[in-house]
Amino acid sequence: CSNSLAVDDALLTSCSLVAGLYPNIATLVRPKRPRQGGRLLTSDSSELCRPSSSSFQRRRVQQASDEGRDAYAVYHAKHRSVGAVSPGREQRQQEAFLSEVNFVSKFALILFGGRPRLVKNAIVVDNWLKFKVCDNDDGEKEKTNAIILIALRGLLDDVIVEHVVETFATAEEKSRMAQRHEKIIEVVRRILADEG
């Protein structure tokens, strides 16, 4: 197994996480001041959350700088702590925590998350996640790339349906489907690898 293939498989695994856990998506909210730490925002609430203490990505969120690229994560569940009172201390506020947080790429969200559509100069997924494709409405090349990406999402949906129904296909049909599926997955691998 080559190192490149292992990296590709890790990227495809993150896509599987998006597909399986969607709509449990959070965006990283960067701190307003340095060393304050980031928080995570989910679509179902305006309350900022933290990864649970056992989460693999807890340190990454805590050490988020006040500047940087947009970051997105999937999570397994959202929990709320109970405000506790200790003798001689103030009552702790209730807080929301996300368990099993894992950061994912924007392409994984576009290709395996909710329904993407092109709105002016951005790809919008489920009226919540917005991925800017160009700085203004005149970026025709970037818009064309966005349309191709959305079309690839449609092809991936077809691959999933064909994979389910292939059990009823002839050997020749299965072979043609497998070749088509390999080509589509290879395009996805290249897109995911180029994002990094």
Side-chain angles (χ1 to χ4, degrees), residues 6-182:
V7 169
D8 288 348
D9 287 344
L11 294 171
L12 287 175
T13 299
S14 79
C15 291
S16 298
L17 288 173
V18 169
L21 293 173
Y22 196 86
N24 290 358
I25 305 296
T27 60
L28 176 66
V29 177
R30 297 194 174 275
K32 298 198 185 319
R33 296 185 305 253
R35 299 183 192 185
Q36 189 178 28
R39 294 284 190 262
L40 296 167
L41 180 66
T42 62
S43 65
D44 64 349
S45 167
S46 61
E47 178 181 24
L48 296 176
C49 307
R50 293 190 305 164
S52 63
S53 60
S54 63
S55 178
F56 175 68
Q57 298 288 350
R58 182 177 58 93
R59 179 164 283 151
R60 182 174 175 186
V61 174
Q62 285 175 337
Q63 295 175 347
S65 66
D66 54 342
E67 294 180 3
R69 295 185 330 180
D70 291 343
Y72 308 93
V74 293
Y75 63 92
H76 181 259
K78 190 175 191 177
H79 308 278
R80 178 167 299 286
S81 68
V82 178
V85 178
S86 300
R89 291 188 171 173
E90 290 183 30
Q91 180 174 350
R92 289 183 60 192
Q93 296 292 326
Q94 290 187 0
E95 269 189 284
F97 293 91
L98 303 179
S99 64
E100 312 305 327
V101 173
N102 191 39
F103 282 91
V104 294
S105 77
K106 64 183 175 191
F107 289 126
L109 291 168
I110 292 168
L111 294 173
F112 294 88
R115 287 282 164 215
R117 59 190 178 93
L118 187 62
V119 178
K120 294 185 181 181
N121 64 339
I123 294 175
V124 179
V125 177
D126 287 347
N127 296 322
W128 181 58
L129 298 167
K130 185 176 180 180
F131 305 100
K132 194 172 177 183
V133 295
C134 57
D135 290 330
N136 56 43
D137 290 335
D138 299 329
E140 289 305 316
K141 179 182 175 190
E142 291 86 356
K143 285 183 181 179
T144 300
N145 290 340
I147 291 168
I148 291 170
L149 198 59
I150 292 170
L152 178 59
R153 166 58 190 267
L155 291 173
L156 281 168
D157 290 346
D158 292 345
V159 165
I160 292 168
V161 170
E162 286 177 2
H163 188 69
V164 170
V165 299
E166 82 175 4
T167 56
F168 303 107
T170 66
E172 184 180 322
E173 290 171 327
K174 286 181 183 181
S175 176
R176 280 197 309 263
M177 280 190 258
Q179 289 173 358
R180 189 170 54 252
H181 296 175
E182 282 180 28

